[in-house]
Short mmCIF file of all heavy atoms in Angstrom, two decimals:
data_model
loop_
_atom_site.label_atom_id
_atom_site.label_comp_id
_atom_site.label_asym_id
_atom_site.label_seq_id
_atom_site.Cartn_x
_atom_site.Cartn_y
_atom_site.Cartn_z
N MET Z 160 15.59 14.81 0.30
CA MET Z 160 16.46 14.31 -0.75
C MET Z 160 15.78 14.44 -2.11
O MET Z 160 16.38 14.88 -3.09
CB MET Z 160 16.79 12.85 -0.46
CG MET Z 160 17.97 12.34 -1.17
SD MET Z 160 18.71 11.03 -0.20
CE MET Z 160 17.54 9.74 -0.39
N PHE Z 222 19.89 6.44 -13.36
CA PHE Z 222 21.22 6.28 -12.81
C PHE Z 222 22.06 7.48 -13.21
O PHE Z 222 22.02 7.89 -14.35
CB PHE Z 222 21.84 4.98 -13.35
CG PHE Z 222 23.15 4.65 -12.72
CD1 PHE Z 222 23.22 3.96 -11.54
CD2 PHE Z 222 24.33 5.05 -13.34
CE1 PHE Z 222 24.43 3.66 -10.96
CE2 PHE Z 222 25.53 4.75 -12.76
CZ PHE Z 222 25.60 4.06 -11.58
N PRO Z 223 22.86 8.12 -12.38
CA PRO Z 223 23.12 7.80 -10.98
C PRO Z 223 22.24 8.55 -9.97
O PRO Z 223 22.64 8.74 -8.85
CB PRO Z 223 24.57 8.25 -10.83
CG PRO Z 223 24.66 9.44 -11.74
CD PRO Z 223 23.67 9.23 -12.84
N GLN Z 225 19.20 7.57 -9.17
CA GLN Z 225 18.05 6.71 -8.91
C GLN Z 225 17.69 6.62 -7.44
O GLN Z 225 16.56 6.32 -7.09
CB GLN Z 225 18.33 5.30 -9.46
CG GLN Z 225 19.15 4.39 -8.57
CD GLN Z 225 20.60 4.84 -8.46
OE1 GLN Z 225 21.07 5.71 -9.17
NE2 GLN Z 225 21.32 4.24 -7.52
N PHE Z 226 18.63 6.99 -6.55
CA PHE Z 226 18.44 6.63 -5.14
C PHE Z 226 17.34 7.39 -4.43
O PHE Z 226 16.86 6.95 -3.40
CB PHE Z 226 19.77 6.82 -4.39
CG PHE Z 226 20.33 8.19 -4.51
CD1 PHE Z 226 19.98 9.16 -3.61
CD2 PHE Z 226 21.20 8.51 -5.55
CE1 PHE Z 226 20.49 10.44 -3.73
CE2 PHE Z 226 21.71 9.79 -5.67
CZ PHE Z 226 21.35 10.75 -4.76
N TRP Z 227 16.94 8.55 -4.95
CA TRP Z 227 15.93 9.30 -4.19
C TRP Z 227 14.59 8.61 -4.22
O TRP Z 227 13.81 8.68 -3.28
CB TRP Z 227 15.81 10.74 -4.66
CG TRP Z 227 15.18 10.97 -6.02
CD1 TRP Z 227 15.84 11.14 -7.19
CD2 TRP Z 227 13.79 11.07 -6.32
NE1 TRP Z 227 14.96 11.32 -8.21
CE2 TRP Z 227 13.69 11.27 -7.70
CE3 TRP Z 227 12.62 10.98 -5.57
CZ2 TRP Z 227 12.46 11.40 -8.36
CZ3 TRP Z 227 11.41 11.11 -6.22
CH2 TRP Z 227 11.33 11.32 -7.60
N PRO Z 229 13.48 5.29 -4.18
CA PRO Z 229 13.13 4.33 -3.13
C PRO Z 229 12.90 5.00 -1.78
O PRO Z 229 12.04 4.56 -1.00
CB PRO Z 229 14.34 3.41 -3.08
CG PRO Z 229 14.93 3.50 -4.43
CD PRO Z 229 14.69 4.88 -4.89
N HIS Z 230 13.64 6.09 -1.50
CA HIS Z 230 13.45 6.74 -0.21
C HIS Z 230 12.21 7.62 -0.18
O HIS Z 230 11.73 7.99 0.89
CB HIS Z 230 14.69 7.55 0.15
CG HIS Z 230 15.87 6.67 0.44
ND1 HIS Z 230 16.03 6.05 1.65
CD2 HIS Z 230 16.89 6.27 -0.34
CE1 HIS Z 230 17.13 5.31 1.60
NE2 HIS Z 230 17.66 5.43 0.40
N PHE Z 282 20.48 -2.32 -13.49
CA PHE Z 282 20.85 -2.13 -12.09
C PHE Z 282 19.62 -2.15 -11.18
O PHE Z 282 19.58 -2.83 -10.15
CB PHE Z 282 21.60 -0.80 -11.95
CG PHE Z 282 21.86 -0.38 -10.54
CD1 PHE Z 282 22.87 -0.99 -9.81
CD2 PHE Z 282 21.11 0.60 -9.93
CE1 PHE Z 282 23.13 -0.61 -8.51
CE2 PHE Z 282 21.35 0.98 -8.63
CZ PHE Z 282 22.36 0.37 -7.92
N MET Z 286 18.53 -4.68 -8.24
CA MET Z 286 18.29 -4.24 -6.87
C MET Z 286 16.91 -4.67 -6.38
O MET Z 286 16.71 -5.02 -5.21
CB MET Z 286 18.39 -2.71 -6.78
CG MET Z 286 19.78 -2.14 -6.92
SD MET Z 286 20.91 -2.66 -5.63
CE MET Z 286 20.32 -1.68 -4.27
N LYS Z 290 14.95 -6.54 -2.42
CA LYS Z 290 14.20 -5.70 -1.48
C LYS Z 290 13.17 -6.54 -0.73
O LYS Z 290 12.39 -7.26 -1.33
CB LYS Z 290 13.49 -4.57 -2.24
CG LYS Z 290 14.43 -3.50 -2.71
CD LYS Z 290 14.95 -2.68 -1.54
CE LYS Z 290 16.31 -2.11 -1.88
NZ LYS Z 290 16.95 -1.47 -0.75
N TYR Z 299 12.12 0.02 -7.00
CA TYR Z 299 13.23 -0.29 -7.89
C TYR Z 299 12.71 -0.79 -9.23
O TYR Z 299 13.29 -0.50 -10.29
CB TYR Z 299 14.17 -1.30 -7.24
CG TYR Z 299 15.22 -0.60 -6.43
CD1 TYR Z 299 15.22 -0.63 -5.04
CD2 TYR Z 299 16.22 0.14 -7.07
CE1 TYR Z 299 16.18 0.03 -4.30
CE2 TYR Z 299 17.18 0.82 -6.34
CZ TYR Z 299 17.16 0.76 -4.95
OH TYR Z 299 18.11 1.43 -4.25
N HIS Z 528 24.95 -10.45 -2.78
CA HIS Z 528 24.46 -9.08 -2.85
C HIS Z 528 24.91 -8.23 -1.67
O HIS Z 528 24.98 -7.00 -1.77
CB HIS Z 528 22.93 -9.09 -2.92
CG HIS Z 528 22.33 -7.73 -2.87
ND1 HIS Z 528 22.46 -6.84 -3.91
CD2 HIS Z 528 21.61 -7.10 -1.93
CE1 HIS Z 528 21.84 -5.73 -3.60
NE2 HIS Z 528 21.32 -5.85 -2.41
N ILE Z 529 25.23 -8.91 -0.58
CA ILE Z 529 25.48 -8.14 0.64
C ILE Z 529 26.62 -7.15 0.47
O ILE Z 529 26.49 -5.97 0.78
CB ILE Z 529 25.77 -9.11 1.82
CG1 ILE Z 529 24.49 -9.86 2.15
CG2 ILE Z 529 26.27 -8.35 3.04
CD1 ILE Z 529 24.66 -10.95 3.16
N TRP Z 530 27.73 -7.62 -0.12
CA TRP Z 530 28.85 -6.68 -0.29
C TRP Z 530 28.49 -5.60 -1.27
O TRP Z 530 28.89 -4.45 -1.14
CB TRP Z 530 30.13 -7.41 -0.71
CG TRP Z 530 30.10 -7.94 -2.13
CD1 TRP Z 530 29.81 -9.20 -2.49
CD2 TRP Z 530 30.38 -7.23 -3.33
NE1 TRP Z 530 29.87 -9.34 -3.85
CE2 TRP Z 530 30.22 -8.13 -4.39
CE3 TRP Z 530 30.73 -5.91 -3.62
CZ2 TRP Z 530 30.41 -7.76 -5.72
CZ3 TRP Z 530 30.92 -5.54 -4.94
CH2 TRP Z 530 30.75 -6.47 -5.99
N PHE Z 531 27.68 -5.95 -2.25
CA PHE Z 531 27.34 -4.98 -3.29
C PHE Z 531 26.55 -3.82 -2.70
O PHE Z 531 26.82 -2.65 -2.96
CB PHE Z 531 26.52 -5.70 -4.37
CG PHE Z 531 26.18 -4.82 -5.54
CD1 PHE Z 531 27.14 -4.55 -6.50
CD2 PHE Z 531 24.92 -4.27 -5.67
CE1 PHE Z 531 26.83 -3.75 -7.58
CE2 PHE Z 531 24.62 -3.47 -6.75
CZ PHE Z 531 25.58 -3.21 -7.71
N SER Z 532 25.58 -4.17 -1.85
CA SER Z 532 24.71 -3.13 -1.31
C SER Z 532 25.49 -2.19 -0.40
O SER Z 532 25.13 -1.05 -0.22
CB SER Z 532 23.56 -3.77 -0.54
OG SER Z 532 24.08 -4.46 0.56
N ARG Z 533 26.59 -2.73 0.13
CA ARG Z 533 27.36 -1.90 1.04
C ARG Z 533 28.01 -0.73 0.30
O ARG Z 533 28.14 0.35 0.82
CB ARG Z 533 28.42 -2.76 1.73
CG ARG Z 533 29.05 -2.08 2.92
CD ARG Z 533 29.99 -3.03 3.63
NE ARG Z 533 29.32 -4.26 4.08
CZ ARG Z 533 29.97 -5.41 4.25
NH1 ARG Z 533 31.25 -5.50 4.01
NH2 ARG Z 533 29.32 -6.48 4.67
N TYR Z 534 28.43 -0.97 -0.94
CA TYR Z 534 29.16 0.08 -1.65
C TYR Z 534 28.30 0.86 -2.63
O TYR Z 534 28.71 1.88 -3.15
CB TYR Z 534 30.35 -0.54 -2.40
CG TYR Z 534 31.31 -1.19 -1.45
CD1 TYR Z 534 31.34 -2.57 -1.28
CD2 TYR Z 534 32.14 -0.40 -0.67
CE1 TYR Z 534 32.21 -3.15 -0.38
CE2 TYR Z 534 33.01 -0.98 0.25
CZ TYR Z 534 33.04 -2.35 0.39
OH TYR Z 534 33.88 -2.91 1.29
N CYS Z 535 27.12 0.36 -2.90
CA CYS Z 535 26.31 1.02 -3.91
C CYS Z 535 25.05 1.61 -3.31
O CYS Z 535 23.95 1.35 -3.76
CB CYS Z 535 25.94 0.05 -5.02
SG CYS Z 535 27.30 -0.22 -6.11
N ASP Z 536 25.23 2.40 -2.27
CA ASP Z 536 24.07 3.02 -1.68
C ASP Z 536 24.08 4.51 -2.03
O ASP Z 536 24.88 5.28 -1.51
CB ASP Z 536 24.10 2.82 -0.16
CG ASP Z 536 22.82 3.29 0.48
OD1 ASP Z 536 21.97 3.82 -0.28
OD2 ASP Z 536 22.67 3.14 1.69
N GLY Z 537 23.20 4.88 -2.93
CA GLY Z 537 23.16 6.27 -3.39
C GLY Z 537 22.87 7.22 -2.25
O GLY Z 537 23.41 8.32 -2.18
N LYS Z 538 22.02 6.78 -1.32
CA LYS Z 538 21.65 7.66 -0.23
C LYS Z 538 22.88 7.98 0.62
O LYS Z 538 23.09 9.13 1.01
CB LYS Z 538 20.60 6.97 0.64
CG LYS Z 538 20.05 7.91 1.68
CD LYS Z 538 19.18 7.19 2.68
CE LYS Z 538 18.75 8.17 3.75
NZ LYS Z 538 18.57 7.57 5.04
N ALA Z 539 23.71 6.94 0.84
CA ALA Z 539 24.91 7.17 1.65
C ALA Z 539 25.81 8.19 0.98
O ALA Z 539 26.37 9.07 1.63
CB ALA Z 539 25.65 5.86 1.85
N ILE Z 540 25.92 8.08 -0.35
CA ILE Z 540 26.77 9.03 -1.07
C ILE Z 540 26.19 10.43 -0.94
O ILE Z 540 26.89 11.41 -0.69
CB ILE Z 540 26.89 8.61 -2.55
CG1 ILE Z 540 27.58 7.25 -2.62
CG2 ILE Z 540 27.65 9.66 -3.34
CD1 ILE Z 540 27.55 6.62 -3.97
N PHE Z 541 24.86 10.51 -1.10
CA PHE Z 541 24.19 11.80 -0.98
C PHE Z 541 24.45 12.41 0.40
O PHE Z 541 24.79 13.59 0.52
CB PHE Z 541 22.70 11.61 -1.21
CG PHE Z 541 21.88 12.87 -1.03
CD1 PHE Z 541 21.81 13.81 -2.04
CD2 PHE Z 541 21.19 13.10 0.14
CE1 PHE Z 541 21.06 14.96 -1.88
CE2 PHE Z 541 20.43 14.24 0.30
CZ PHE Z 541 20.38 15.18 -0.72
N GLU Z 542 24.30 11.58 1.42
CA GLU Z 542 24.53 12.07 2.78
C GLU Z 542 25.97 12.52 2.96
O GLU Z 542 26.25 13.53 3.60
CB GLU Z 542 24.21 10.98 3.81
CG GLU Z 542 22.81 10.44 3.69
CD GLU Z 542 21.79 11.27 4.46
OE1 GLU Z 542 22.01 11.44 5.67
OE2 GLU Z 542 20.82 11.73 3.86
N THR Z 543 26.91 11.73 2.38
CA THR Z 543 28.31 12.10 2.48
C THR Z 543 28.54 13.46 1.86
O THR Z 543 29.22 14.32 2.41
CB THR Z 543 29.19 11.06 1.76
OG1 THR Z 543 28.72 9.77 2.09
CG2 THR Z 543 30.63 11.22 2.17
N VAL Z 544 27.93 13.66 0.69
CA VAL Z 544 28.13 14.94 0.01
C VAL Z 544 27.55 16.08 0.85
O VAL Z 544 28.21 17.10 1.06
CB VAL Z 544 27.47 14.91 -1.38
CG1 VAL Z 544 27.48 16.31 -1.99
CG2 VAL Z 544 28.23 13.95 -2.28
#
Side-chain angles (χ1 to χ4, degrees):
Chain Z
M160 199 152 71
F222 186 85
Q225 82 290 350
F226 56 89
W227 71 263
H230 292 280
F282 172 76
M286 289 297 285
K290 286 289 153 188
Y299 272 109
H528 175 69
I529 292 173
W530 71 262
F531 184 78
S532 64
R533 194 175 302 154
Y534 299 103
C535 283
D536 188 356
K538 187 190 176 211
I540 297 170
F541 177 81
E542 303 274 304
T543 317
V544 171

